[in-house]
């Protein structure tokens, strides 16, 4: 019997226009020492494994996409990620005189 493992994905960030940013994921079909093969709607593509593991992001020229190994942390207002230390620290600051605490 073979163990079933959770599928791995490559991620692409898309501009959703007025809806904000969203991402698309592509299931990884196979990993070799030099390449990571992934499933696309029209077949299979591959990226340089060493490059994407080093940089975290790579450009897939045939499909004109930037792909990442990690699921993107989508930004909120002013480009600050939701769970960034800067956003978390905002709730911990003491209000100045005249500010309302809600």
């Amino acid at each position: 019997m073979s163990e079933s493992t959770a599928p791995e994905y490559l991620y692409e960030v898309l501009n959703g226009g007025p809806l904000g940013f969203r991402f698309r994921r592509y299931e990884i079909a196979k990993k070799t020492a030099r390449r990571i093969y992934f499933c696309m709607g029209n077949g299979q593509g591959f990226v340089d494994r060493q490059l994407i593991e080093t940089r975290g992001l790579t450009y897939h020229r045939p499909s004109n996409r930037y792909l990442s190994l990690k699921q993107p942390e989508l930004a909120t207002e002013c480009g600050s990620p939701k769970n960034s230390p800067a956003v978390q620290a905002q709730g911990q600051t003491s209000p100045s005189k005249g500010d309302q605490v809600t």
Side-chain angles (χ1 to χ4, degrees), residues 10-64:
L10 292 176
Y11 298 92
E12 173 190 16
V13 177
L14 305 166
N15 184 351
L19 301 175
F21 289 94
R22 52 196 175 92
F23 64 91
R24 182 178 294 152
R25 65 184 188 181
Y26 303 96
E27 188 170 355
I28 294 175
K30 179 172 112 174
K31 286 185 177 182
T32 67
R34 297 189 69 182
R35 295 180 175 169
I36 296 177
Y37 293 88
F38 62 99
C39 301
M40 296 181 355
N42 59 351
Q44 195 175 60
F46 67 87
V47 293
D48 184 300
R49 182 176 183 168
Q50 294 159 342
L51 187 65
I52 197 168
E53 287 180 348
T54 303
R55 293 184 182 173
L57 183 75
T58 192
Y59 180 69
H60 184 250
R61 188 179 308 258
S63 64
N64 193 27

Side-chain angles (χ1 to χ4, degrees), residues 50-98:
Q50 294 159 342
L51 187 65
I52 197 168
E53 287 180 348
T54 303
R55 293 184 182 173
L57 183 75
T58 192
Y59 180 69
H60 184 250
R61 188 179 308 258
S63 64
N64 193 27
R65 295 180 169 113
Y66 282 96
L67 300 170
S68 170
L69 278 174
K70 294 184 180 179
Q71 182 174 340
E73 189 174 315
L74 300 180
T76 59
E77 294 178 51
C78 300
S80 300
K82 292 178 185 176
N83 298 322
S84 74
V87 172
Q88 291 173 355
Q90 286 177 355
Q92 298 171 0
T93 59
S94 61
S96 61
K97 188 174 181 181

